[in-house]
Amino acid sequence: RGKDEKYRVWMPKLRMAKEYKDKRKSIDDVERNIFKFKKGSEEKSKKMDKEEKLFRETFMYDKEIRVLATATAERSVPSQRRADLPLTAGEQLDIIDAVQGHAAICRNAQGRYGYVLVEHLNFR
């Protein structure tokens, strides 16, 4: 035997139970899935960005988009113009800006922007 082998300490190899190994693998898989982004959320964010860009061009809106309040649509209303937002009854809307007169700029759950008459909204 050489000099190096003389001082080497023998360590027993620790063995894990198969059940514990399987459990550990499944826990690791769950932890890894937390950090993955869903493709649907990526597509949704791209669509929201596209809608926001279109909104800024159409309405010439250069201010920061802030939600002033939330409201629900009282009844379904089809859009008359391109700038109007079509409504369905009970839909949640974010009020972005209050325009002079009887209209407000709103955003729906799909991220579309448009004018909505205040008389069609229910504030709570």
Side-chain angles (χ1 to χ4, degrees), residues 44 47-48 51 86 91-92 107-113:
K44 191 173 183 180
K47 185 178 179 186
M48 293 286 251
E51 289 287 343
E91 183 179 17
Q92 291 278 14
R107 176 178 61 196
N108 64 6
Q110 287 79 32
R112 292 194 57 205
Y113 295 85

Side-chain angles (χ1 to χ4, degrees), residues 104-122:
I105 297 175
C106 298
R107 176 178 61 196
N108 64 6
Q110 287 79 32
R112 292 194 57 205
Y113 295 85
Y115 287 116
V116 176
L117 292 176
V118 177
E119 61 195 41
H120 299 306
L121 298 176
N122 184 11

Side-chain angles (χ1 to χ4, degrees), residues 26-43:
S26 66
I27 290 170
D28 290 344
D29 292 342
V30 169
E31 288 174 5
R32 286 188 188 117
N33 288 340
I34 292 171
F35 299 109
K36 289 184 180 179
F37 287 103
K38 293 182 181 178
K39 286 184 180 179
S41 64
E42 268 183 43
E43 291 171 4

Side-chain angles (χ1 to χ4, degrees), residues 93-110:
L93 299 170
D94 296 330
I95 310 299
I96 304 299
D97 198 0
V99 184
Q100 288 181 348
H102 299 286
I105 297 175
C106 298
R107 176 178 61 196
N108 64 6
Q110 287 79 32

